[in-house]
Amino acid sequence: MTRDIEAHMNLSPQAGRARKARTAAALLAALTALTACGAQPAANAGAPASAPASASASASAAGATTSFSEKGVTVTLSVSGWQSSKGTLTAVFAPEEKGFHLYSTDLPTDGIEGVGRPTVLSVTGALKAEGELTAAAEVRSISVPGVGAPVPVYPDGPVTTTLPVRADGIGEATVSIGYASCSERDGCTIPVSDRPVRLHITADGPVFDVRQAARSLDLTSP
């Protein structure tokens, strides 16, 4: 009986060491499998994942916006869809009084027989146009007393225009804006032409110079 107990006591440490070896081998095999599948070790499991640089830049560019009010119209500018140094410049022209409309982008520079001014959005400097300015509104024609030809205008109310653009390096850029609003009942406001809004073209995309826009608004508003 004593020899049996001694034999059992002598074998127990060996069995324990064998079990430990098998457990360690199993853990090592599991860790190797996780690593091969791209899993993170447990120590790093709680670490936040870093956003790709391109996603961060796109989000930064998407927030680029500014606005100003002048001659009865509020203009809101924004840049969206910025990727690979290209994006869309959007300008929303919103007359501040009911019954006022804006003129078509296709109107001649001096209007028709001096009546009206086209809705204009252009860029210079480190930002270039990649296409034509388009408006998300249908053009209709109105008759103006004393004018022989019909005048193309947009329906009363806000008009959204878009211009595809691309960055020509890092630097300064200017958006030039022109428009006039008119009411068939109340007449027309004073036209706005070549109204500048500055931008900084950075590695992450365009950023409007909000302080410059505010100073310009103070100087040009009636």
Side-chain angles (χ1 to χ4, degrees):
M1 179 69 179
T2 302
R3 285 194 298 270
D4 292 340
I5 295 174
E6 289 177 351
H8 178 73
M9 293 178 62
N10 290 335
L11 289 174
S12 293
Q14 295 176 0
R17 285 194 294 271
R19 284 195 297 271
K20 289 181 181 179
R22 287 194 297 271
T23 301
L27 289 174
L28 180 60
L31 182 59
T32 301
L34 287 172
T35 304
C37 292
Q40 293 293 328
N44 295 331
S50 300
S54 57
S56 175
S58 182
S60 175
T65 184
T66 189
S67 65
F68 67 88
S69 296
E70 192 172 332
K71 303 299 187 288
V73 176
T74 296
V75 181
T76 302
L77 297 167
S78 61
V79 177
S80 61
W82 194 258
Q83 188 174 8
S84 300
S85 300
K86 294 183 179 181
T88 300
L89 174 63
T90 299
V92 179
F93 297 83
E96 295 167 358
E97 299 290 338
K98 289 184 178 180
F100 278 78
H101 57 256
L102 290 142
Y103 291 93
S104 168
T105 58
D106 296 327
L107 194 72
T109 303
D110 296 328
I112 294 179
E113 298 180 24
V115 174
R117 291 295 183 271
T119 301
V120 177
L121 186 70
S122 61
V123 291
T124 56
L127 200 62
K128 306 296 183 184
E130 279 281 277
E132 299 294 327
L133 178 67
T134 59
E138 293 185 2
V139 176
R140 65 186 183 93
S141 296
I142 61 172
S143 296
V144 177
V147 179
V151 180
V153 301
Y154 296 116
D156 294 352
V159 175
T160 300
T161 62
T162 54
L163 180 69
V165 294
R166 64 174 174 82
D168 189 19
I170 294 175
E172 305 302 311
T174 301
V175 180
S176 295
I177 303 160
Y179 58 87
S181 65
C182 200
S183 167
E184 295 180 67
R185 185 189 69 180
D186 300 323
C188 300
T189 61
I190 299 173
V192 173
S193 60
D194 298 327
R195 205 300 191 171
V197 174
R198 315 293 182 189
L199 299 93
H200 303 292
I201 309 303
T202 71
D204 291 336
V207 178
F208 287 103
D209 187 343
V210 179
R211 291 176 299 177
Q212 183 274 339
R215 290 196 299 269
S216 181
L217 176 60
D218 292 339
L219 291 173
T220 57
S221 297

